[in-house]
Amino acid sequence: LFSGVPTTLASLIAFLGILGFAGYYFVLRRALRELDPSGVIPDRVQVAFDSLAEGVMILDERETILLANSSFAQSINSTPKSLFGMNASELKWRQWNDNEDIDDYPWRIAMRTKKSVASARMGLRTASDDIRSFTVNATCIVDGTGAVSGAIATFDDVTALEQKNEDLIRTVKQLEETEEEISQRNRQLQYLASHDPLSGCLNRRAFFSEIEAKLERAYREDRHLACMMVDLDHFKSINDRFGHAVGDQVIAGVADILKSNCRADDLVGRYGGEEFCVVLFGAAPDEAERIAERTRQDITSGSPMWLPEGETATVSIGFAMQPDEYTPSTAMELVDRADQALYAAKEGGRDRVIFWDAIQSEVKAPAAKHYPRRRSSCQTNEDEPGKLPVPQTAVAEGLRKIHAVDFRPASSVPGSDSLTQLPERMIFMDRISQSIVRSERAKASFAVLQISVDSFERFVEVFGDAGSQQLTGTVAARLLDVLRRSDTVSLANDRDKIPEVSRLAECKFAIELSHLDETDSVIWIIKRIFESLSRPIVVNDKKVYVTCSVGISVYPHDGADAETLVRHAGVAERHAREGEGTDTYVFFTEEMNENSRYQLMIEAGIRHALEQDEFALHYQPIIDLRTGDPIAAEALLRCTSDNLRDTPIGSLISIAEQTGLMSKIGEWVLQTAIRQMEQWLDTGVALSKISVNISAIQLRDSFAIERLMKIVTEMNIPPEKLQLEITETAMMQDVEAASQTLQRLQQLGVQIALDDFGTGQSSLTYLRKFRPDVLKIDRSFIDKVDISRTDETLVSAVVAMSHEMGLRVVAEGVETTDQMDCVRQLGCDEAQGYLIAKPMPATAMSDWLQLFTTEKNPPLAPLDKTQEVA
């Protein structure tokens, strides 16, 4: 009782219970405080981890979160305390870029394998239902006995970067779609601009552009070239009797038959109205005659499909060959001869084929050695009764006309154009010759002008022949109003690629301005012409506006004879047309012809250099920006010929491409570079690959492509040691052909590099179509990458896009250490430029590589911007 212990049993039990609970409570609280997991991580450690920008979690062996720093907690919209004690694997983790659950976790793998896990990609759904993207690294924690006691995981939040990548990919896709749409529309516009919409044949402008190229090729390859003029007989009667809808069907049907009877290298153009012009390339005279006769018969037999029952259509065909005993000097002259033969065929009864040389014999053309006479369907022959001879009067009339016509108005003046009543070219040239005699006697000057209405083909397409003739007549009338009475105006025959048309409404004029006191008076007259033609012209009750281009040659400075003066005026007019702006005029200068002479001289020098083996290769190293080691060498063409020593290599290559010599040069460059690579490999020089430039000509020439494939398959180095560089400009020439060629090369193991990236018009399209292995950023972007925020952003975007596509990126034209540091930081894989080394001969390149191997550092060549860069 003295100690306070109850004496009754119930009180004793209650007393002991209260006393035991109090003791247990104080002991248990102390034990829990000692065993609190949050006490494992001291506060100073938590503060230190919270200062990190990277997310961090520390887990025990049961994956319980012992620590989560604020960076990780904030990125998932949580707090470190709320994450404490949670199981890390029970957070809402998701597969990378997917909504599926994760089967295994980096920290679990690390604890199981006792190895670090790096750069694992995971997603986590936050409390706000957003998905955050992380790059996770995990490391196992072991105690002194080697037992696993937990793991530490770091989290790099790349959500923003992923969003930017997605935005970039979406933007690239939109750009590609836009570029594809623009490209498709451009192709459609190009087709519409060069083809007649009704027949699908080439229009006049495109046809004459193509025929000039065919004629040049025929001269170069010593091949035949046949020109066939086809005219529907009595087509006006077809339109009058059956309507224009039937007439259009006949025109389209004739065009289809013409195209079906032609070969791949042949041309079919709609010359205007019911006339067609066909060029047969490489067809011998007998073969051309068979094609012409077959075409005539096919049109006759096929016409019932287009005409009402019982009706047929026939065609008359005139033919001229190149070469023959009277070799034409221009494409226009060849077409003129075929046109003369066509007129003879129409006068001789129609529905027949007439050869130009046949009618020449009828009018007693000068005797000359020529092809064996071909039997024309209109010549009298004992074996072919019923064939009518060509009337002598019709033949003579056809020869007298510059262009064959179906009629001549009664008011037409002999020697004048039937449409405008202006003197024809022959009369005009005679008047210039007379002016030369007078001016030479009087020590005076006079000028010859050539005037062309800009985009006249567009007016023909819109208003047709009748409307365009009306326009031509109005222009001629206004010229006559402007000029003095002593000036002569004439329809000119442009012998320089642009065809002359009188009846078919080609709007080109030549003007002689006599008795010039000074050259400035020419300009005053030209301005009067511009003012007169600037007023609207009514065509088919619609107002149209025209602009024109004028070329001027002055006697005696620009020529001493009529032919030269007219030709030089045409050259100046072409330069005016190609210049910027509208209503332009250009005086002829010798520099305009100097360029042509310069190209001929360079072409001769190139041929001589090929024959004398006066080409050489220099090599410029390309280094790996991560290691600094040389990884490749680009082969660059140089010429050692004294005749071409001062010629820029870019100009030399351009002229070689224009003259058909580039395939031979390109083949030599490739073989020489491969042999040099074989020699380096044999001598133990460490170089991953040799890079060689491929010309656009080689991609378009099927023979050159096969030679290229043969060289690649027979070379003694692994295919991956060869890298071929192709520019965007080269691929633009023929997208499909280039794509197939590059794919064949890649299948062989050759690497393809897209050079000068960013300077073309369809870079993204090429990346999608061609899938190159390497992308070389053009030097124009690298030049200011260290000082221009815009260039830096563009380069960064190109690098990011290329890496996503698995491409290596080369920075071209690196010339300063700041540029080198910048392209390295932006992620470029390789670099090339003067800072590393200038292009050097093979022996110097070998020494450079050996020195690099010895010192493990590339010797930087001094920067010399005065040296030309290929």
Side-chain angles (χ1 to χ4, degrees):
L1 291 176
F2 177 78
S3 62
V5 176
T7 57
T8 64
L9 180 60
S11 299
L12 178 61
I13 293 172
F15 173 77
L16 293 176
I18 293 170
L19 185 62
F21 177 78
Y24 179 76
Y25 175 76
F26 287 109
V27 172
L28 184 60
R29 280 195 60 185
R30 181 176 181 84
L32 289 174
R33 185 166 60 251
E34 293 296 332
L35 297 176
D36 184 5
S38 63
V40 174
I41 308 299
D43 291 341
R44 63 180 180 274
V45 175
Q46 179 72 48
V47 172
F49 276 104
D50 286 342
S51 65
L52 298 176
E54 196 175 32
V56 178
M57 277 199 320
I58 298 179
L59 316 175
D60 63 12
E61 68 276 11
R62 294 184 298 276
E63 303 181 39
T64 302
I65 300 175
L66 302 179
L67 177 144
N69 70 346
S70 57
S71 295
F72 176 72
Q74 291 173 3
S75 65
I76 62 173
N77 300 328
S78 185
T79 63
K81 287 187 179 181
S82 63
L83 294 173
F84 174 76
M86 296 180 63
N87 190 296
S89 300
E90 293 178 355
L91 296 176
K92 297 180 180 180
W93 297 105
R94 293 291 181 265
Q95 295 281 1
W96 179 267
N97 287 336
D98 200 350
N99 201 29
E100 298 295 329
D101 293 335
I102 294 180
D103 297 330
D104 213 346
Y105 301 91
W107 49 85
R108 186 179 293 175
I109 297 173
M111 288 190 289
R112 184 172 65 249
T113 62
K114 294 185 180 182
K115 295 181 179 179
S116 297
V117 177
S119 300
R121 295 185 171 186
M122 302 174 64
L124 177 61
R125 185 176 295 279
T126 65
S128 59
D129 209 34
D130 295 330
I131 298 292
R132 307 294 296 182
S133 301
F134 295 95
T135 300
V136 185
N137 300 316
T139 303
C140 177
I141 302 175
V142 296
D143 57 19
T145 64
V148 176
S149 60
I152 182 170
T154 61
F155 300 83
D156 187 8
D157 191 346
V158 294
T159 306
L161 180 60
E162 282 298 307
Q163 185 62 43
K164 290 181 180 178
N165 285 339
E166 292 178 2
D167 292 342
L168 178 60
I169 293 173
R170 186 163 51 253
T171 302
V172 169
K173 184 177 180 180
Q174 292 173 350
L175 287 174
E176 289 178 345
E177 293 174 352
T178 302
E179 285 189 298
E180 181 63 28
E181 182 179 356
I182 293 174
S183 177
Q184 182 178 358
R185 291 186 179 181
N186 284 340
R187 289 193 296 269
Q188 293 174 350
L189 289 174
Q190 289 173 359
Y191 180 85
L192 292 175
S194 60
H195 288 75
D196 172 60
L198 174 61
S199 63
C201 301
L202 293 172
N203 60 27
R204 288 175 55 78
R205 177 184 56 80
F207 178 79
F208 273 94
S209 176
E210 292 288 338
I211 192 176
E212 286 288 351
K214 293 290 185 184
L215 187 60
E216 291 176 4
R217 181 181 169 191
Y219 282 138
R220 187 172 62 250
E221 299 179 5
D222 194 22
R223 303 280 295 277
H224 288 288
L225 191 73
C227 181
M228 181 170 71
M229 290 293 294
V230 181
D231 183 63
L232 269 164
D233 296 330
H234 308 295
F235 181 69
K236 186 176 183 301
S237 174
I238 294 175
N239 274 335
D240 293 342
R241 293 163 59 199
F242 308 117
H244 289 283
V246 174
D248 289 346
Q249 291 181 4
V250 174
I251 292 292
V254 170
D256 290 339
I257 290 177
L258 290 174
K259 288 183 283 189
S260 66
N261 282 322
C262 291
R263 294 84 46 87
D265 278 344
D266 298 340
L267 302 176
V268 180
R270 188 179 179 188
Y271 205 68
E274 66 274 21
E275 283 190 342
F276 295 85
C277 190
V278 180
V279 171
L280 305 176
F281 181 81
D286 292 340
E287 181 183 4
E289 184 175 9
R290 286 195 300 271
I291 293 175
E293 188 61 35
R294 184 175 67 242
T295 299
R296 185 187 66 81
Q297 295 173 2
D298 289 349
I299 292 174
T300 301
S301 60
S303 61
M305 294 187 299
W306 320 314
L307 294 172
E309 185 175 357
E311 299 290 340
T312 58
T314 61
V315 292
S316 300
I317 300 177
F319 233 102
M321 292 296 302
Q322 166 67 28
D324 62 6
E325 67 271 31
Y326 318 109
T327 301
S329 58
T330 66
M332 190 63 230
E333 189 173 350
L334 181 65
V335 174
D336 282 342
R337 293 179 179 183
D339 210 9
Q340 294 168 24
L342 171 63
Y343 186 80
K346 291 159 65 175
E347 287 291 328
R350 300 181 184 267
D351 190 19
R352 61 194 61 239
V353 178
I354 297 290
F355 280 85
W356 182 83
D357 58 349
I359 64 175
Q360 286 298 296
S361 64
E362 295 292 339
V363 295
K364 297 180 174 53
K369 186 177 180 179
H370 55 277
Y371 295 114
R373 180 64 56 205
R374 298 178 292 277
R375 183 176 297 123
S376 168
S377 59
C378 70
Q379 288 179 274
T380 303
N381 191 295
E382 295 178 357
D383 298 330
E384 297 178 337
K387 295 294 183 179
L388 300 175
V390 179
Q392 289 285 345
T393 55
V395 174
E397 179 67 15
L399 290 175
R400 281 198 298 269
K401 297 181 180 181
I402 299 300
H403 285 277
V405 295
D406 291 323
F407 62 90
R408 289 181 66 88
S411 60
S412 197
V413 178
S416 66
D417 171 67
S418 60
L419 172 64
T420 63
Q421 304 306 307
L422 299 175
E424 290 183 342
R425 176 183 173 84
M426 190 178 303
I427 303 299
F428 178 72
M429 299 295 285
D430 181 64
R431 293 186 181 180
I432 293 179
S433 299
Q434 296 175 18
S435 295
I436 291 174
V437 174
R438 290 194 302 268
S439 298
E440 184 177 8
R441 184 168 55 246
K443 304 298 181 183
S445 298
F446 69 91
V448 175
L449 279 60
Q450 280 210 21
I451 301 177
S452 66
V453 172
D454 299 331
S455 303
F456 184 73
E457 295 82 1
R458 180 165 53 89
F459 292 107
V460 177
E461 293 172 358
V462 173
F463 297 109
D465 292 341
S468 59
Q469 288 181 3
Q470 183 181 352
L471 176 66
T472 301
T474 304
V475 172
R478 291 191 182 181
L479 289 175
L480 287 172
D481 289 340
V482 168
L483 299 172
R484 301 170 298 177
R485 289 186 178 181
S486 58
D487 300 330
T488 300
V489 185
S490 168
L491 272 176
N493 177 15
D494 185 351
R495 302 166 63 89
D496 213 354
K497 291 190 177 181
I498 304 298
E500 177 228 355
V501 182
S502 55
R503 182 176 68 88
L504 298 179
E506 181 70 18
C507 204
K508 182 182 286 290
F509 302 89
I511 300 173
E512 175 202 353
L513 299 177
S514 56
H515 305 298
L516 290 181
D517 297 328
E518 55 184 9
T519 307
D520 290 344
S521 60
V522 177
I523 300 176
W524 177 73
I525 294 173
I526 290 173
K527 289 183 178 179
R528 288 168 52 195
I529 293 174
F530 287 160
E531 291 173 1
S532 177
L533 296 181
S534 65
R535 301 194 308 271
I537 298 175
V538 178
V539 179
N540 295 345
D541 297 327
K542 295 181 180 179
K543 291 183 178 180
V544 298
Y545 295 85
V546 300
T547 60
C548 57
S549 302
V550 182
I552 311 108
S553 64
V554 179
Y555 173 84
H557 308 292
D558 300 330
D561 58 83
E563 186 69 30
T564 302
L565 286 169
V566 173
R567 186 177 71 252
H568 286 176
V571 171
E573 181 267 331
R574 189 169 64 255
H575 277 77
R577 207 168 354 103
E578 295 172 352
E580 297 181 357
T582 57
D583 285 341
T584 55
Y585 63 90
V586 171
F587 281 87
F588 174 81
T589 61
E590 186 58 31
E591 287 77 7
M592 294 180 184
N593 283 338
E594 186 64 29
N595 184 46
S596 298
R597 288 194 290 267
Y598 172 77
Q599 290 190 2
L600 290 175
M601 181 188 69
I602 297 302
E603 179 184 357
I606 294 173
R607 294 184 184 277
H608 182 269
L610 283 171
E611 294 172 357
Q612 301 299 320
D613 195 19
E614 292 178 335
F615 283 108
L617 289 185
H618 285 195
Y619 301 87
Q620 187 174 31
I622 304 172
I623 67 167
D624 190 320
L625 284 173
R626 291 175 298 178
T627 64
D629 295 331
I631 194 172
E634 181 179 357
L636 300 170
L637 183 66
R638 295 291 184 269
C639 185
T640 60
S641 172
D642 293 335
N643 297 329
L644 302 175
R645 188 174 300 278
D646 297 329
T647 305
I649 194 68
S651 299
L652 189 148
I653 291 175
S654 175
I655 294 174
E657 289 180 336
Q658 296 173 18
T659 55
L661 298 173
M662 196 59 223
S663 295
K664 185 178 294 185
I665 296 176
E667 183 177 327
W668 178 87
V669 169
L670 182 61
Q671 290 177 329
T672 304
I674 290 174
R675 286 197 299 268
Q676 184 60 58
M677 187 63 175
E678 294 172 354
Q679 180 180 344
W680 279 335
L681 294 178
D682 292 341
T683 56
V685 174
L687 197 63
S688 299
K689 57 188 174 183
I690 188 78
S691 189
V692 182
N693 291 277
I694 297 298
S695 166
I697 301 298
Q698 292 173 270
L699 290 179
R700 297 200 303 268
D701 188 340
S702 58
F703 178 76
I705 291 173
E706 295 306 319
R707 287 288 303 159
L708 177 63
M709 294 294 177
K710 187 173 186 296
I711 293 172
V712 170
T713 54
E714 293 179 355
M715 64 184 183
N716 295 323
I717 61 174
E720 59 272 12
K721 294 285 187 181
L722 176 61
Q723 175 176 289
L724 299 180
E725 296 189 16
I726 180 72
T727 63
E728 298 175 53
T729 306
M731 290 188 293
M732 288 171 62
Q733 305 294 332
D734 191 338
V735 175
E736 295 302 327
S739 175
Q740 295 174 5
T741 302
L742 296 181
Q743 288 176 3
R744 291 176 61 187
L745 290 167
Q746 286 177 314
Q747 290 171 357
L748 294 176
V750 176
Q751 296 191 41
I752 302 298
L754 183 57
D755 196 13
D756 299 337
F757 181 81
T759 59
Q761 299 177 353
S762 305
S763 302
L764 298 178
T765 301
Y766 294 143
L767 284 180
R768 179 169 57 84
K769 283 183 176 293
F770 301 108
R771 304 295 295 180
D773 305 290
V774 178
L775 186 147
K776 302 186 74 173
I777 302 177
D778 187 69
R779 64 176 57 250
S780 61
F781 294 96
I782 305 302
D783 186 45
K784 296 182 180 179
V785 69
D786 55 328
I787 58 176
S788 171
R789 179 64 178 171
T790 300
D791 287 354
E792 179 182 350
T793 302
L794 288 173
V795 172
S796 177
V798 170
V799 171
M801 179 179 62
S802 301
H803 286 172
E804 284 293 330
M805 298 178 67
L807 310 181
R808 293 180 63 82
V809 181
V810 181
E812 295 185 296
V814 177
E815 297 186 350
T816 66
T817 54
D818 290 339
Q819 292 174 359
M820 177 74 81
D821 293 339
C822 189
V823 297
R824 182 185 289 113
Q825 292 173 3
L826 292 176
C828 292
D829 303 294
E830 301 166 14
Q832 176 181 1
Y834 274 18
L835 181 66
I836 302 163
K838 300 176 184 177
M840 62 190 85
T843 54
M845 183 67 180
S846 301
D847 295 340
W848 190 91
L849 291 172
Q850 292 291 349
L851 182 62
F852 185 94
T853 304
T854 302
E855 297 182 356
K856 294 299 182 182
N857 285 304
L860 301 183
L863 183 59
D864 180 6
K865 290 192 176 182
T866 62
Q867 178 172 334
E868 178 187 3
V869 181

